[in-house]
Amino acid sequence: MSILVVNSGSSSIKFQVVNTENGTAVASGLVEQIGESEGRVVLDLSGDESEKKLEIPDHAKGLQIAFDMLADAGVDLGDSVSAVGHRVVHGGEVFYRPTLVDDKVLKKIDELSSLAPLHNPPNVLGIEVARTQLPDVPHVAVFDTAFFHGLPAAAATYAIDRDIARQHGIRRYGFHGTSHEYVSQQVEQFLGRDGLNQIVLHLGNGASASAIRAGSPIDTSMGLTPLEGLVMGTRSGDIDPGVVMHLRRSADMDVDAIDELLNRRSGLKGLSGINDFRALQKRIDDGDSDASLAYDVYVHRLRKYIGAYMLELGHLDTITFTAGVGENAASVRADALANLSGFGIEVDEERNAQRSKHARVISTDASAVTVLVVPTNEELAIARATDALVRTANEA
Ligand code: ADP
């Protein structure tokens, strides 16, 4: 089956046509700078890239242009795609498994926008646009929060007034769930073992950690929103909530300005001016002290979470790095796990330095905890979840 996977953001749409039988991407593309004077559509057909630059006024037009480019290249989505899987960031308490989209479901996802104002509205827009253009196939929403729905209450609950929390849906939901689930399953497959106690570190632009016991998460670093936890490209991660009140009172910033500060101008970017990790590493090599401090804060927070999750799990089998930084930045992996041989964690310098696009072990043979690098593939996971749901629905 070919599944179209759509990930619609505020000014961009990423998509991929995935063959779920062999797990390959038949085509992938990116529509970006939607709403700006010059937008860009990039298409990749099995390594063959093409690009168009033109004004893209809205999401509908963006997706239309991408579909037309695909048709010109001989890929007719109407013919070849049997379902569309949509990445949806927040499922709240309502959605915790892949869900067939109808008008009622779409309305509910839209209502959850109060919990995820930056994410759910563009997700809803992407679903609307894709449903209009591919009306004859099922559309499935796959939620970033779903994997963490069953978090133990002690990990999911904030210590605030319980009535207010209940009234406003305030709890720790967790995000990047599709990636944490996919990567932890890949680890078990790769090692040929199951029931493992795992820590998964998803380090991309956004970053999150999870502690997983025998396939079920027992804790994760993101909370009500993706702002909590690790230091990220542009997000602060954990911060004393008192900072928010202080900024409101002393800096006369309103809630939107503080939101923008913590989500878009903090993290690595706030500390060094740069959110891209490769550029940050270059700055460090050039002797930039702000960049060095940003790196140190990033690694410090990471180690703090690894330590906490080791204790929560009691016994640890694996630590896995994934996503752009986790898969590529050997120094982060080495520094995050430096001097932990007393805890049975030993990274092999040579294995860690090797570059590969495949799953691999980077710990020494003597290390009690196996350390791995496993590439994430959220699109494939969404495509498989969509495929499975559509098949079940067809059988019913
Ligand atoms: P997103 O959250 O947008 O999916 P990615 O998982 O693609 O993010 O990760 C993007 C981050 O990965 C960027 O900070 C980028 O600099 C970093 N990255 C990509 N390749 C490398 C590399 N070779 N070395 C260090 N960092 C890298």
Side-chain angles (χ1 to χ4, degrees), residues 205 233-234 268-269 272-282 325:
N205 264 321
T234 64
L268 298 175
K269 188 177 175 108
S272 71
I274 302 168
N275 62 292
D276 185 90
F277 217 88
R278 264 170 300 193
L280 184 85
Q281 286 177 316
K282 196 168 170 308
V325 175

Side-chain angles (χ1 to χ4, degrees), residues 234-245:
T234 64
R235 297 187 202 127
S236 62
D238 292 338
I239 200 167
D240 179 350
V243 171
V244 175
M245 281 77 92

Side-chain angles (χ1 to χ4, degrees), residues 373-394:
V373 179
V374 173
T376 191
N377 191 340
E378 287 161 285
E379 289 79 11
L380 177 59
I382 291 172
R384 284 190 177 149
T386 301
D387 189 5
L389 178 64
V390 170
R391 278 175 202 267
T392 318
N394 286 345

Side-chain angles (χ1 to χ4, degrees), residues 284-330:
I284 295 170
D285 293 342
D286 293 344
D288 181 328
S289 59
D290 288 341
S292 289
L293 177 62
Y295 181 85
D296 291 347
V297 175
Y298 184 96
V299 170
H300 175 84
R301 184 82 49 84
L302 201 49
R303 286 175 69 92
K304 204 161 147 176
Y305 270 91
I306 293 166
Y309 288 176
M310 277 174 71
L311 218 68
E312 281 189 50
L313 286 164
H315 163 83
L316 180 62
D317 295 302
T318 62
I319 299 178
T320 306
F321 291 87
T322 193
V325 175
E327 290 167 30
N328 295 296

